[in-house]
Amino acid sequence: MLVPTDGSAPGLPTAAGSIFKIIRDQGPLFPADIVRRTGLAKSTVSVYIDRLAAAGLIREEPRPGGKRRMLKVAESAGYVMGVDLGQTHLNVGLCDLEGDVLDSIGADLDLLHETPEGVLARVVGAARALSSRNALALAALSGIGFCLPGPVDYARGLPVSPPVMPGWDRFPLASALHREFTCPVFIDNDVNVMALAERDKGAASQEQDFLFIKAGTGIGAGLVVDGRIYRGAKGAAGDIGHISAGLDDVLCHCGNRGCLEALAGGRALALRAGEAARSGASRFLAARLAEGLAGTPELLALGAAAGDEECLRIIIAAGKALGDTIAKLVNFFNPSLIVVGGGLANLGERYLASIRESIYRRSTPLATADLVIKRSALGPATGVIGSAILVLDEIFSHTNVGRLMRPPSA
Ligand SMILES: [Zn+2]
C-alpha cells in the first residue's frame, strides 16, 4: 500500500473518522442518528459534520418538503479507479466515492501469456481514456485499487509467486502505478476485494463476520472479521484452493496432488465435461461436442438444467468437494454467513444444495445453528467495485479522514 503520509503516528480513531464511517456505511442519516450510533455529544457531532462538509466529504441529501437535513457521502467529490485483472479478462472502472461504477473499459486477455509491463500499459491506457471521456482531471483521482488472481503482499503492493501469472513474482505493481498517477495505490487478491463488494453492495450487506468463497477457475476464501478483511501475517489468509481435499491421484498445477482446486475448480470441471463428452457418458455434452463446442462449466450447467444425469453428477461432486472444505472453515471460524460467488456459483441450485449439504453434514451443530449460506447477487463488475471499495476503506479510514481536515480553530 502506498499512502502519502504527513509523518504523524497513527492515532486512535478520530471523531471525524467515526462519524464519516457511519455516514458511509449507513447513510443517508439524520444528525440525531449519528449522535445515537456514535455515542458522541450532539455538539461534537454538529462541529464535525460541518467540518466534513467543508472538506467536501459529505453533503446534505435534499428532501422534498422536509426541513431536517439528511447526510450522505459527497459521492461526486472525487473518484477512484478499480482494476480487476482476471485469468481471462481485464476490467478498469471509474467509480464515485460510494464505489458505484460510472464508466468502465473491459477487454479479454490470457494472463498466462501477458507480461506485467504489457498489462500495466493497458491499465494506464484505460485509466487515461476513462478520465478523458468523462472530462475528469487525473489529478482528481483519489486512489487506485487493483485486484489480481494470486497471493499478494498487501503491505508492499506486489504479487508473490502467483501460480497462474508467470513472470509476475514480486513485480512492483503499486509503485509503478503510483509513479504514473501519483495517487495512493492498493493491490489485493481478487477474492478479498470481492468480499468487500459483498459487504458493501451484495449478499453480506451490513454483516461484520462472514466468509466469501470464490469458486471459479481458482478457489479462494475472503475472511471478513469485524467488517475488515483478515489477511493474516503475510497476506495469504484464505488461500484454500490448495488445501488437500482427499483424493491424492489428481495432480494440481501447483505441483501437489489432491488440491481442492484440482478437484473442484473451473479447469477441473472443464476437463470432466470434456471426458464425459468424449466417452458419451453425457449425451448432452456428446451432442455439444458434435456441434464443435468444448466442455466448459457453463455447458455442465446447461446439461444439468436439461436433466442430463452425468452433468448433474459432476456438478454435485464438485459441490461436495467444496462443501467438505468449507465445513472445516466453518468449524474453525464460525461465521454467521457464507456467500458463494465466482463463475461456478452459476452452476445452479443443485450445486449450491450440494455445498450446503456437505457443510451441514461435516460441521458441528453449534457452528451451523444460525449459519446462512447464500449465492452472490453481484454481477461481473464485482472485482471493479471491490477494488474501488478497497481504496475507499483505506483513504477514508478513521485516521486518514482526520488528516484530511485541518485542526479545529476553536
Ligand atoms: Zn494445488
Side-chain angles (χ1 to χ4, degrees), residues 90-105:
L90 171 67
N91 293 329
V92 182
L94 177 73
C95 303
D96 66 18
L97 294 190
E98 288 199 322
D100 290 324
V101 182
L102 304 170
D103 193 4
S104 64
I105 292 177

PDB file of all heavy atoms in Angstrom, residues 90-105:
ATOM      1  N   LEU A  90      -9.515  -8.208 -18.292  1.00  0.00           N
ATOM      2  CA  LEU A  90      -9.029  -7.013 -17.598  1.00  0.00           C
ATOM      3  C   LEU A  90     -10.156  -5.991 -17.652  1.00  0.00           C
ATOM      4  O   LEU A  90     -10.594  -5.598 -18.735  1.00  0.00           O
ATOM      5  CB  LEU A  90      -7.782  -6.451 -18.293  1.00  0.00           C
ATOM      6  CG  LEU A  90      -7.313  -5.076 -17.782  1.00  0.00           C
ATOM      7  CD1 LEU A  90      -6.802  -5.178 -16.347  1.00  0.00           C
ATOM      8  CD2 LEU A  90      -6.219  -4.510 -18.680  1.00  0.00           C
ATOM      9  N   ASN A  91     -10.669  -5.590 -16.477  1.00  0.00           N
ATOM     10  CA  ASN A  91     -11.712  -4.570 -16.421  1.00  0.00           C
ATOM     11  C   ASN A  91     -11.200  -3.389 -15.608  1.00  0.00           C
ATOM     12  O   ASN A  91     -10.688  -3.574 -14.501  1.00  0.00           O
ATOM     13  CB  ASN A  91     -12.987  -5.103 -15.753  1.00  0.00           C
ATOM     14  CG  ASN A  91     -13.668  -6.170 -16.590  1.00  0.00           C
ATOM     15  OD1 ASN A  91     -13.594  -6.132 -17.814  1.00  0.00           O
ATOM     16  ND2 ASN A  91     -14.294  -7.124 -15.935  1.00  0.00           N
ATOM     17  N   VAL A  92     -11.339  -2.204 -16.168  1.00  0.00           N
ATOM     18  CA  VAL A  92     -10.942  -0.990 -15.464  1.00  0.00           C
ATOM     19  C   VAL A  92     -12.183  -0.116 -15.337  1.00  0.00           C
ATOM     20  O   VAL A  92     -12.857   0.143 -16.345  1.00  0.00           O
ATOM     21  CB  VAL A  92      -9.832  -0.240 -16.226  1.00  0.00           C
ATOM     22  CG1 VAL A  92      -9.386   1.004 -15.450  1.00  0.00           C
ATOM     23  CG2 VAL A  92      -8.628  -1.153 -16.470  1.00  0.00           C
ATOM     24  N   GLY A  93     -12.518   0.291 -14.108  1.00  0.00           N
ATOM     25  CA  GLY A  93     -13.741   1.057 -13.899  1.00  0.00           C
ATOM     26  C   GLY A  93     -13.473   2.369 -13.185  1.00  0.00           C
ATOM     27  O   GLY A  93     -12.638   2.448 -12.281  1.00  0.00           O
ATOM     28  N   LEU A  94     -14.186   3.393 -13.622  1.00  0.00           N
ATOM     29  CA  LEU A  94     -14.146   4.692 -12.962  1.00  0.00           C
ATOM     30  C   LEU A  94     -15.312   4.693 -11.976  1.00  0.00           C
ATOM     31  O   LEU A  94     -16.459   4.445 -12.380  1.00  0.00           O
ATOM     32  CB  LEU A  94     -14.334   5.779 -14.023  1.00  0.00           C
ATOM     33  CG  LEU A  94     -14.405   7.216 -13.549  1.00  0.00           C
ATOM     34  CD1 LEU A  94     -13.019   7.686 -13.124  1.00  0.00           C
ATOM     35  CD2 LEU A  94     -14.942   8.105 -14.657  1.00  0.00           C
ATOM     36  N   CYS A  95     -15.017   4.931 -10.684  1.00  0.00           N
ATOM     37  CA  CYS A  95     -16.067   4.822  -9.661  1.00  0.00           C
ATOM     38  C   CYS A  95     -16.149   6.100  -8.840  1.00  0.00           C
ATOM     39  O   CYS A  95     -15.156   6.806  -8.676  1.00  0.00           O
ATOM     40  CB  CYS A  95     -15.764   3.669  -8.713  1.00  0.00           C
ATOM     41  SG  CYS A  95     -15.591   2.082  -9.536  1.00  0.00           S
ATOM     42  N   ASP A  96     -17.351   6.365  -8.307  1.00  0.00           N
ATOM     43  CA  ASP A  96     -17.502   7.535  -7.437  1.00  0.00           C
ATOM     44  C   ASP A  96     -17.122   7.155  -5.999  1.00  0.00           C
ATOM     45  O   ASP A  96     -16.693   6.033  -5.744  1.00  0.00           O
ATOM     46  CB  ASP A  96     -18.918   8.128  -7.541  1.00  0.00           C
ATOM     47  CG  ASP A  96     -19.991   7.199  -7.000  1.00  0.00           C
ATOM     48  OD1 ASP A  96     -19.644   6.263  -6.246  1.00  0.00           O
ATOM     49  OD2 ASP A  96     -21.174   7.411  -7.331  1.00  0.00           O
ATOM     50  N   LEU A  97     -17.300   8.097  -5.080  1.00  0.00           N
ATOM     51  CA  LEU A  97     -16.834   7.861  -3.710  1.00  0.00           C
ATOM     52  C   LEU A  97     -17.762   6.943  -2.919  1.00  0.00           C
ATOM     53  O   LEU A  97     -17.551   6.712  -1.737  1.00  0.00           O
ATOM     54  CB  LEU A  97     -16.632   9.191  -2.978  1.00  0.00           C
ATOM     55  CG  LEU A  97     -15.508  10.082  -3.540  1.00  0.00           C
ATOM     56  CD1 LEU A  97     -15.234  11.251  -2.609  1.00  0.00           C
ATOM     57  CD2 LEU A  97     -14.219   9.311  -3.805  1.00  0.00           C
ATOM     58  N   GLU A  98     -18.803   6.425  -3.567  1.00  0.00           N
ATOM     59  CA  GLU A  98     -19.604   5.385  -2.931  1.00  0.00           C
ATOM     60  C   GLU A  98     -19.300   4.020  -3.533  1.00  0.00           C
ATOM     61  O   GLU A  98     -19.940   3.026  -3.210  1.00  0.00           O
ATOM     62  CB  GLU A  98     -21.086   5.704  -3.055  1.00  0.00           C
ATOM     63  CG  GLU A  98     -21.474   6.863  -2.140  1.00  0.00           C
ATOM     64  CD  GLU A  98     -22.958   6.930  -1.865  1.00  0.00           C
ATOM     65  OE1 GLU A  98     -23.741   6.652  -2.791  1.00  0.00           O
ATOM     66  OE2 GLU A  98     -23.317   7.264  -0.736  1.00  0.00           O
ATOM     67  N   GLY A  99     -18.334   3.987  -4.457  1.00  0.00           N
ATOM     68  CA  GLY A  99     -17.968   2.711  -5.071  1.00  0.00           C
ATOM     69  C   GLY A  99     -18.886   2.294  -6.204  1.00  0.00           C
ATOM     70  O   GLY A  99     -18.859   1.147  -6.639  1.00  0.00           O
ATOM     71  N   ASP A 100     -19.717   3.199  -6.683  1.00  0.00           N
ATOM     72  CA  ASP A 100     -20.574   2.878  -7.831  1.00  0.00           C
ATOM     73  C   ASP A 100     -19.814   3.152  -9.129  1.00  0.00           C
ATOM     74  O   ASP A 100     -19.110   4.157  -9.242  1.00  0.00           O
ATOM     75  CB  ASP A 100     -21.870   3.691  -7.785  1.00  0.00           C
ATOM     76  CG  ASP A 100     -22.777   3.218  -6.657  1.00  0.00           C
ATOM     77  OD1 ASP A 100     -22.793   1.998  -6.402  1.00  0.00           O
ATOM     78  OD2 ASP A 100     -23.444   4.049  -6.021  1.00  0.00           O
ATOM     79  N   VAL A 101     -19.966   2.240 -10.094  1.00  0.00           N
ATOM     80  CA  VAL A 101     -19.227   2.356 -11.352  1.00  0.00           C
ATOM     81  C   VAL A 101     -19.893   3.397 -12.254  1.00  0.00           C
ATOM     82  O   VAL A 101     -21.078   3.304 -12.550  1.00  0.00           O
ATOM     83  CB  VAL A 101     -19.168   0.990 -12.080  1.00  0.00           C
ATOM     84  CG1 VAL A 101     -18.363   1.112 -13.365  1.00  0.00           C
ATOM     85  CG2 VAL A 101     -18.567  -0.076 -11.184  1.00  0.00           C
ATOM     86  N   LEU A 102     -19.100   4.415 -12.668  1.00  0.00           N
ATOM     87  CA  LEU A 102     -19.618   5.464 -13.553  1.00  0.00           C
ATOM     88  C   LEU A 102     -19.384   5.088 -15.015  1.00  0.00           C
ATOM     89  O   LEU A 102     -20.190   5.397 -15.890  1.00  0.00           O
ATOM     90  CB  LEU A 102     -18.916   6.792 -13.259  1.00  0.00           C
ATOM     91  CG  LEU A 102     -18.988   7.283 -11.811  1.00  0.00           C
ATOM     92  CD1 LEU A 102     -18.062   8.472 -11.605  1.00  0.00           C
ATOM     93  CD2 LEU A 102     -20.429   7.642 -11.445  1.00  0.00           C
ATOM     94  N   ASP A 103     -18.242   4.451 -15.271  1.00  0.00           N
ATOM     95  CA  ASP A 103     -17.881   4.098 -16.651  1.00  0.00           C
ATOM     96  C   ASP A 103     -16.794   3.024 -16.547  1.00  0.00           C
ATOM     97  O   ASP A 103     -16.060   2.969 -15.564  1.00  0.00           O
ATOM     98  CB  ASP A 103     -17.334   5.349 -17.368  1.00  0.00           C
ATOM     99  CG  ASP A 103     -17.230   5.139 -18.879  1.00  0.00           C
ATOM    100  OD1 ASP A 103     -17.648   4.075 -19.382  1.00  0.00           O
ATOM    101  OD2 ASP A 103     -16.716   6.058 -19.559  1.00  0.00           O
ATOM    102  N   SER A 104     -16.708   2.167 -17.561  1.00  0.00           N
ATOM    103  CA  SER A 104     -15.674   1.133 -17.481  1.00  0.00           C
ATOM    104  C   SER A 104     -15.210   0.711 -18.862  1.00  0.00           C
ATOM    105  O   SER A 104     -15.901   0.933 -19.861  1.00  0.00           O
ATOM    106  CB  SER A 104     -16.196  -0.083 -16.704  1.00  0.00           C
ATOM    107  OG  SER A 104     -17.258  -0.682 -17.397  1.00  0.00           O
ATOM    108  N   ILE A 105     -14.017   0.123 -18.891  1.00  0.00           N
ATOM    109  CA  ILE A 105     -13.460  -0.423 -20.126  1.00  0.00           C
ATOM    110  C   ILE A 105     -13.022  -1.852 -19.812  1.00  0.00           C
ATOM    111  O   ILE A 105     -12.305  -2.089 -18.845  1.00  0.00           O
ATOM    112  CB  ILE A 105     -12.238   0.406 -20.606  1.00  0.00           C
ATOM    113  CG1 ILE A 105     -12.700   1.797 -21.059  1.00  0.00           C
ATOM    114  CG2 ILE A 105     -11.505  -0.316 -21.742  1.00  0.00           C
ATOM    115  CD1 ILE A 105     -11.558   2.725 -21.476  1.00  0.00           C
TER     116      ILE A 105
END
